[in-house]
Amino acid sequence: MKTFKIGGIHPNDYKLNAEAPAKDLALPKQGIVFVNQHLGAPSKSIVQKGDKVKVGQLLTQNNAFIGSNVHSPYSGTVSKIDMVYDASGYRKEAIFIDVEGDEWLDSIDRSDTICRDIALSGEEIIAKIKEMGIVGLGGACFPTQVKLSVPEGKKAEYLIINAVECEPYLTDDYQLMVNNGEQCFIGVSILKKALNVSKAYIGIEINKPKAIAIFQELAKTFDGIDVEPLKMKYPQGAEKQLIYAITGREVPSGKLPVDVGCVVCNIGTAFAVYEAVQKNKPLFERTVTVTGNTVKEPTNFNVRVGTPISNILDAVGGIPEGVDKIVSGGPMMGKALFTTDTAVVKGMSALLLIDQNESKRSKDVGCIRCSECLKACPMGLQPYLLSALVENENTEQLYHENILDCIECGCCLYSCPAHRPLLDLVRLGKFNTRIWVTQNSNNK
Ligand code: SF4
Ligand code: SF4
């Protein structure tokens, strides 16, 4: 069975709430909508205190190529625009909306009708995706229209859809596939049209047999979309690993997927694209998995962007005793929340509650030269060496050892019997190396 070639690990998948359908979370009294929710040029708010807004109305406009709009998830009154902590602890501009009812723009099609005919041209699709604020929902929040605009001189041959959801605990993509399969396939067809490719592959790991069965049936009724069941291995959802698993093509160091003829999008993004193009619906809501061994009833919630985190935690009975950390995302690539006094953003896939035992770190006893981290690294790096170079502040050598290829998957940390803080060190090393590269651009 297909998978990627180098490294990888096999953590327990802990899909605790996989079969529980997502529940709609009640609207909050006040929504907190961050002005910037994408990777790229900063946006500006186009509303002011006192403005009345409807669901779907534009809140920020971003005309930069690598930029993305934000739309109101609520109807109500803008009560203030203020700085507030995001999940990582940075103070960022946010629009506070006092929620009054739930009045949507008439332009959004809220009917259950599913239309497979795609009326827009490729160019019109890309423009619509930008207008509707669609970003990659796999976590990076890269504006989707940029991925679809293949640079001159390069050609996309295949669209690769990441429906792997290889992070332990996460089940929001799975629920989407099981309950909205047809819409996901229409989204994939729209992405294919925008890219002008005739073939798309949807990669799904074999721990999701129900989703594979539904998708294989759907694939019989759509042109040029194949479902690829994949062997379970983390981090198969990473772009380079997924491309190799499905096509056998290797993306060289420093190159992009399109350099080997591939464009990768997440299945959640495909669904958001369906809603944007066929329903004229901007991206202002998503599914968030709330899970962890201490959570009484792990649940997937359909939530509006801007929902306070505390509202979601209240819906699972509050923070259970003994919880030490709340992680935004999965246990491997997620980041611990700086504060719960923040709100859902487009890229938030999960809230993972971790207790004291699970979060406790064992003491670093020093490298024992076992090479487990080397075997685990899916990028073919030498994490033991990188960590030592970071500690010795040898940034130039880090650059030559290709530290910037690191995808921060955490496989090295997971594998190390000496409990070296490899991921922390490698992240620090990448940060320092980026600065070094900027300062020494002629040394490349
Ligand atoms: S975090 Fe980086 S160095 Fe560690 S295994 Fe993943 S890619 Fe390799
Ligand atoms: S896994 Fe840990 S102990 Fe083994 S070589 Fe790597 S850093 Fe050293």
Side-chain angles (χ1 to χ4, degrees):
M1 182 161 284
K2 288 181 170 181
T3 188
F4 57 96
K5 187 166 59 168
I6 307 170
I9 57 172
H10 301 275
N12 189 326
D13 69 358
Y14 291 117
K15 305 285 188 188
L16 303 179
N17 56 343
E19 298 306 330
K23 293 179 183 170
D24 291 337
L25 192 75
L27 293 180
K29 284 193 177 122
Q30 187 179 59
I32 305 165
V33 186
F34 283 99
V35 168
N36 286 292
Q37 302 199 29
H38 66 279
L39 213 65
S43 302
K44 267 193 175 159
S45 165
I46 57 164
V47 292
Q48 295 173 1
K49 181 180 172 183
D51 283 358
K52 292 277 182 199
V53 290
K54 287 185 182 176
V55 177
Q57 188 174 325
L58 206 57
L59 294 179
T60 79
Q61 185 141 31
N62 192 317
N63 295 323
F65 175 57
I66 307 181
S68 193
N69 298 336
V70 173
H71 302 75
S72 182
Y74 308 104
S75 58
T77 308
V78 175
S79 57
K80 63 176 175 175
I81 297 175
D82 205 352
M83 303 300 278
V84 63
Y85 284 115
D86 72 0
S88 315
Y90 292 101
R91 279 173 70 74
K92 295 203 177 141
E93 194 179 22
I95 299 164
F96 289 66
I97 300 169
D98 289 341
V99 179
E100 295 149 11
D102 192 27
E103 201 182 334
W104 291 44
L105 289 182
D106 292 339
S107 52
I108 301 172
D109 175 0
R110 299 182 71 188
S111 71
D112 292 333
T113 320
I114 297 175
C115 175
R116 290 192 180 199
D117 294 333
I118 305 162
L120 301 187
S121 68
E123 274 181 21
E124 288 166 337
I125 289 168
I126 292 175
K128 175 65 82 180
I129 284 172
K130 177 164 170 49
E131 181 196 335
M132 294 286 141
I134 310 301
V135 295
L137 293 180
C141 289
F142 193 65
T144 301
Q145 78 274 2
V146 183
K147 266 199 176 176
L148 300 177
S149 307
V150 176
E152 243 182 74
K154 306 200 181 207
K155 185 165 168 35
E157 228 179 304
Y158 302 132
L159 169 65
I160 309 283
I161 297 293
N162 173 9
V164 167
E165 203 162 53
C166 60
E167 269 269 4
Y169 289 99
L170 269 54
T171 56
D172 50 307
D173 281 352
Y174 174 73
Q175 274 299 319
L176 188 66
M177 289 188 266
V178 168
N179 295 312
N180 299 88
E182 187 175 1
Q183 293 92 324
C184 289
F185 265 71
I186 298 169
V188 174
S189 303
I190 295 168
L191 289 167
K192 271 177 65 198
K193 187 168 181 182
L195 281 167
N196 193 22
V197 297
S198 55
K199 194 83 191 168
Y201 294 98
I202 304 179
I204 313 178
E205 287 192 342
I206 52 166
N207 59 341
K208 303 172 192 70
K210 198 164 147 190
I212 291 173
I214 292 170
F215 270 31
Q216 282 176 332
E217 275 310 302
L218 279 163
K220 292 176 187 164
T221 65
F222 281 83
D223 280 341
I225 303 180
D226 282 4
V227 179
E228 286 284 354
L230 302 171
K231 193 174 161 182
M232 282 171 68
K233 189 159 68 152
Y234 175 86
Q236 196 137 240
E239 285 193 339
K240 292 186 179 183
Q241 283 62 34
L242 187 58
I243 290 169
Y244 184 86
I246 290 177
T247 69
R249 296 182 181 185
E250 286 185 55
V251 183
S253 172
K255 297 284 181 189
L256 294 169
V258 75
D259 291 308
V260 296
C262 299
V263 171
V264 183
C265 287
N266 181 268
I267 190 72
T269 311
F271 180 73
V273 163
Y274 160 79
E275 294 205 307
V277 174
Q278 305 296 76
K279 297 285 180 182
N280 213 28
K281 183 181 166 195
L283 178 56
F284 56 73
E285 59 185 352
R286 65 159 301 144
T287 310
V288 175
T289 303
V290 186
T291 184
N293 293 321
T294 55
V295 179
K296 217 183 280 168
E297 205 180 317
T299 308
N300 281 313
F301 289 109
N302 296 320
V303 299
R304 301 274 172 96
V305 166
T307 300
I309 298 297
S310 53
N311 285 39
I312 303 179
L313 295 173
D314 287 348
V316 292
I319 302 174
E321 208 172 312
V323 166
D324 190 38
K325 258 185 208 164
I326 300 176
V327 172
S328 167
M332 299 303 295
M333 295 194 76
K335 306 240 166 75
L337 287 186
F338 172 78
T339 173
T340 52
D341 279 337
T342 187
V344 173
V345 288
K346 293 178 186 179
M348 185 177 281
S349 56
L351 291 172
L352 170 63
L353 280 62
I354 296 181
D355 71 20
Q356 282 151 358
N357 289 334
E358 292 166 316
S359 77
K360 203 159 85 192
R361 284 217 175 174
S362 303
K363 193 170 176 291
D364 172 5
V365 295
C367 177
I368 55 169
R369 303 282 190 270
C370 67
S371 80
E372 288 302 316
C373 57
L374 258 92
K375 286 186 226 156
C377 180
M379 295 305 293
L381 303 173
Q382 304 183 68
Y384 76 94
L385 175 61
L386 299 177
S387 61
L389 291 170
V390 176
E391 286 170 327
N392 292 325
E393 299 180 13
N394 191 341
T395 309
E396 181 171 354
Q397 196 54 32
L398 282 171
Y399 173 75
H400 294 298
E401 292 293 337
N402 296 326
I403 191 170
L404 295 180
D405 282 350
C406 167
I407 55 171
E408 301 184 20
C409 63
C411 290
C412 49
L413 176 73
Y414 181 89
S415 310
C416 178
H419 314 297
R420 296 271 294 138
L422 296 171
L423 179 59
D424 314 57
L425 289 166
V426 175
R427 273 187 180 146
L428 175 64
K430 280 179 75 179
F431 181 78
N432 292 339
T433 306
R434 283 205 189 94
I435 296 172
W436 182 89
V437 169
T438 315
Q439 290 168 343
N440 300 271
S441 44
N442 295 334
N443 293 6
K444 281 202 243 173

